[in-house]
Amino acid sequence: MVYRRRGVPGLLAIPFRKLAGRLGNQRPPASANDTPAVRELPLNDFHAPEALAALSALDADLAVVDGTYILKPSVFSLPRLGAINLHCGRLPDYRGAPPGFWELYNGEREVGVTVHRVTAGVDEGPILRQEVVPLDSAPRGDAMMYIAGLWRDTLRPIGVRLLTEAVADIAAERVQETRQDASKGHTYRFPDYATVRELRGRVRARRVAR
């Protein structure tokens, strides 16, 4: 069913979603202390009228976005201080998804993690926090497994820390923003099967060349 509706990119997205779930990226069960707006918020479509009403009722100061679909201004502009997003990629060079894939595909020697303001442009908002880590351009084993492990063990933990720091900066009114040049960088999409095969071939070739 996933393949029929979303093709190979949809299939490739499944492992990343499963990893996110294992790391606690799932919504916790409702408790007695939850407000009705939180408990009844329809998570399948934040842009639906009932979702917008529930979000507005929260009267939130700030929205923290991590692993969702593209949000429209009707959603991310509701909080008083707007919204910030965790992006596992070095902006503005690597917008879109998936984390680490295109950097490895292109033979980069490092990969970034960025926290930025949410704007109408995909991953184009001002940068609040950013950090880069080394990337093995010719890792041993399967390239896709290397990417998944890199995200789980390195990029994700760094991202959670950067999010915490960014929220603290906003609360203390000591935010330093770096605006992006929308004309620079590239917005990537989930790769198809042929691109995944090409990635594996490139990585094998680099290992031989070492």
Side-chain angles (χ1 to χ4, degrees):
M1 180 63 72
V2 173
Y3 178 81
R4 186 184 307 168
R5 295 178 60 187
R6 301 185 58 195
V8 174
L11 289 175
L12 292 172
I14 293 174
F16 289 99
R17 293 198 187 99
K18 288 183 177 179
L19 284 172
R22 292 172 186 171
L23 288 170
N25 196 30
Q26 296 174 323
R27 184 171 179 262
S31 70
N33 294 324
D34 286 340
T35 66
V38 173
R39 288 200 306 270
E40 299 171 8
L41 184 62
L43 296 180
N44 59 322
D45 184 6
F46 290 118
H47 304 100
E50 60 271 24
L52 292 174
L55 288 169
S56 181
L58 291 175
D59 194 25
D61 292 320
L62 179 71
V64 178
V65 181
D66 176 17
T68 189
Y69 46 79
I70 297 174
L71 300 177
K72 299 177 182 178
S74 60
V75 172
F76 66 73
S77 63
L78 279 174
R80 181 174 61 88
L81 300 174
I84 62 174
N85 177 58
L86 170 59
H87 174 73
C88 287
R90 184 186 63 216
L91 296 179
D93 303 301
Y94 285 89
R95 301 186 181 102
F101 180 93
W102 293 105
E103 289 90 338
L104 185 59
Y105 185 91
N106 293 334
E108 299 281 6
R109 294 304 181 99
E110 63 182 21
V111 60
V113 184
T114 309
V115 175
H116 64 94
R117 295 277 189 186
V118 178
T119 61
V122 177
D123 297 328
E124 291 184 0
I127 295 171
L128 305 180
R129 290 269 177 167
Q130 188 173 78
E131 195 168 309
V132 296
V133 296
L135 177 70
D136 186 350
S137 63
R140 294 181 177 274
D142 181 70
M144 293 299 288
M145 293 301 296
Y146 170 74
I147 292 170
L150 177 70
W151 180 84
R152 180 191 65 236
D153 299 331
T154 303
L155 302 182
R156 175 70 179 178
I158 290 175
V160 172
R161 172 173 55 80
L162 293 182
L163 269 178
T164 303
E165 294 170 354
V167 171
D169 288 341
I170 293 171
E173 299 183 346
R174 58 169 182 260
V175 179
Q176 293 185 350
E177 301 183 357
T178 302
R179 294 194 175 277
Q180 298 187 58
D181 184 345
S183 67
K184 295 182 178 179
H186 185 79
T187 300
Y188 292 87
R189 297 187 177 187
F190 274 100
D192 58 19
Y193 177 77
T195 310
V196 172
R197 185 172 55 188
E198 173 67 17
L199 167 70
R200 289 179 168 133
R202 292 186 180 198
V203 169
R204 286 195 297 268
R206 291 176 199 145
R207 283 201 296 262
V208 172
R210 280 185 173 179

